[in-house]
Amino acid sequence: MNGILSNLPGILLALLAFGLLIMLHELGHLVAAKRGGVKVEEFWIGMGPVLWSHTFGETRYCLRLLPIGGACVMEGEDGESESEHSFGKAKLRRRMLIVVAGALMNFIVGFLIVCFVLQPNAPNGGYIISTLEAVQPESTAAGALEPGDTVLKVDGYHILERGDFDTALARGKDSSYEIVVKRDGKRV
């Protein structure tokens, strides 16, 4: 029980992030449907009891208790509506766009997250870099590497993040490596 409580902030943050992704996914369906002339009866984020509800135009918007799940309920999704504004009466191309719009929003969000993480104008060139905080005095690298060195290559293998460094060392055929680092703004 103590382990769950110590991880509670991370769990809540993950649930909120997941809820945000779902909201953006469903928002993709909503925008595509409304732009395509399809009536959206209800749009909700979350599951469980309704915390907030309001009708704007022809659509009822809801926020529910649990930040998992959501829905964009369109008229005629089940094919039983005769209205010209129903999902079932929309042209095939429009229906395909509405269905794909949710996944497209997920791709756009993923792309924006990658752009934010890589930040091409960042001082490190836009990558999550592998900079040494310390070098153990008893290690074989103690004479060659210094704290603050940014590892760029190991045996010709480009290092863009910390995990690449481990991969490069694992690829080595012996215990000797040719390492290129950035030290004081210069390649060494």
Side-chain angles (χ1 to χ4, degrees):
M1 184 69 174
N2 194 22
I4 292 174
L5 290 178
S6 65
N7 291 326
L8 190 59
I11 292 169
L12 291 175
L13 187 62
L15 282 173
L16 289 175
F18 185 62
L20 180 64
L21 286 175
I22 291 170
M23 181 186 76
L24 293 171
H25 174 92
E26 296 300 335
L27 189 63
H29 295 306
L30 176 77
V31 170
K34 287 203 173 259
R35 300 241 356 179
V38 173
K39 180 181 177 186
V40 178
E41 295 175 341
E42 199 168 7
F43 176 81
W44 76 76
I45 301 302
M47 295 293 200
V50 175
L51 297 175
W52 173 84
S53 173
H54 190 76
T55 301
F56 295 103
E58 60 188 18
T59 306
R60 179 177 178 234
Y61 297 87
C62 300
L63 181 63
R64 296 176 182 251
L65 179 63
L66 303 173
I68 53 173
C72 179
V73 180
M74 294 168 273
E75 181 176 349
E77 277 185 282
D78 55 9
E80 294 180 9
S81 176
E82 294 300 321
S83 168
E84 65 183 52
H85 297 289
S86 72
F87 179 78
K89 295 291 182 182
K91 292 182 179 177
L92 177 62
R93 191 177 344 178
R94 177 61 59 189
R95 286 182 296 184
M96 288 173 54
L97 179 62
I98 292 168
V99 170
V100 169
L104 183 60
M105 280 297 274
N106 290 128
F107 280 112
I108 291 169
V109 168
F111 176 76
L112 292 174
I113 289 170
V114 168
C115 288
F116 176 75
V117 168
L118 292 183
Q119 296 180 25
N121 295 324
N124 61 17
Y127 296 100
I128 301 169
I129 55 177
S130 184
T131 301
L132 302 176
E133 291 182 18
V135 178
Q136 300 297 325
E138 65 276 358
S139 73
T140 56
L145 298 175
E146 298 176 6
D149 284 351
T150 300
V151 180
L152 302 175
K153 289 184 182 180
V154 174
D155 287 342
Y157 186 80
H158 290 277
I159 308 300
L160 301 177
E161 62 179 353
R162 176 67 176 96
D164 293 341
F165 186 69
D166 295 334
T167 301
L169 293 178
R171 291 173 38 143
K173 295 178 179 41
D174 55 30
S175 61
S176 177
Y177 302 94
E178 181 180 319
I179 300 176
V180 177
V181 298
K182 188 174 186 179
R183 181 182 298 153
D184 300 323
K186 297 178 185 157
R187 292 170 71 100
V188 180

